Amino acid sequence: MIDHSTDPRNPRWTRNDYERNVFNGDIGTVIELEDATLTVDFDGAAKQYTRYDLRALKLAYAMTIHKSQGGEFPAVIVPVLRDNRMLTRNLLYTAITRAKVLCILVGHDDAIQRAAQTTLTRRWTRLAHRLSAQ
């Protein structure tokens, strides 16, 4: 998924910060860099960060569908490749619903059809076994 902006000043926050009200996946725009403080605008709210905080900011040129969950973007571009065994109907739905206005699927029609017809198979997490063992 590609961020709608081509501006390289678009960082994505990578953890939850309840004090600043900024959460994993939020995307902002760098509006000021002064001394050792970076100011980022997240939907109209300016937040300041020190050098220490910068470890949780990543540039958002593109991101995976997984990382985009919970976020929305004016436009998304989704590559749909024939040899992608992970692409299922659930993942394709998640990708498409991240777009507020425009979603572009780039790839082969047959790959899109296969993804739309592929449901998520059972996951082998052994979670129930792990929980019952304690």
Side-chain angles (χ1 to χ4, degrees):
M1 305 192 81
I2 297 179
D3 178 22
H4 69 282
S5 174
T6 57
D7 190 332
R9 298 174 298 153
N10 291 97
R12 178 178 55 86
W13 189 248
T14 61
R15 65 176 187 237
N16 292 334
D17 184 340
Y18 295 96
E19 289 180 22
R20 290 187 181 106
N21 200 31
V22 178
F23 302 97
N24 184 19
D26 285 356
I27 296 177
T29 303
V30 174
I31 56 175
E32 185 176 7
L33 176 59
E34 186 176 310
D35 297 326
T37 303
L38 179 74
T39 304
V40 179
D41 180 313
F42 289 98
D43 291 327
K47 309 294 180 174
Q48 293 187 334
Y49 297 94
T50 65
R51 287 179 192 250
Y52 173 78
D53 298 320
L54 296 182
R55 288 183 270 172
L57 283 172
K58 304 290 181 204
L59 289 179
Y61 296 111
M63 67 179 65
T64 64
I65 295 168
H66 172 76
K67 289 283 186 185
S68 72
Q69 287 184 344
E72 287 186 313
F73 308 92
V76 297
I77 300 172
V78 183
V80 184
L81 307 175
R82 284 184 174 148
D83 60 348
N84 187 345
R85 292 185 184 99
M86 292 179 54
L87 190 57
T88 62
R89 178 174 44 210
N90 300 31
L91 197 59
L92 186 59
Y93 173 83
T94 299
I96 292 169
T97 58
R98 299 307 95 206
K100 289 182 182 178
V101 178
L102 176 67
C103 178
I104 300 171
L105 301 178
V106 178
H108 301 277
D109 289 338
D110 60 324
I112 296 168
Q113 287 293 330
R114 187 175 69 241
Q117 295 170 355
T118 304
T119 57
L120 187 61
T121 58
R122 184 174 175 193
R123 296 181 68 185
W124 297 97
T125 63
R126 297 181 45 95
L127 180 60
H129 173 73
R130 290 176 183 167
L131 291 174
S132 67
Q134 294 187 6

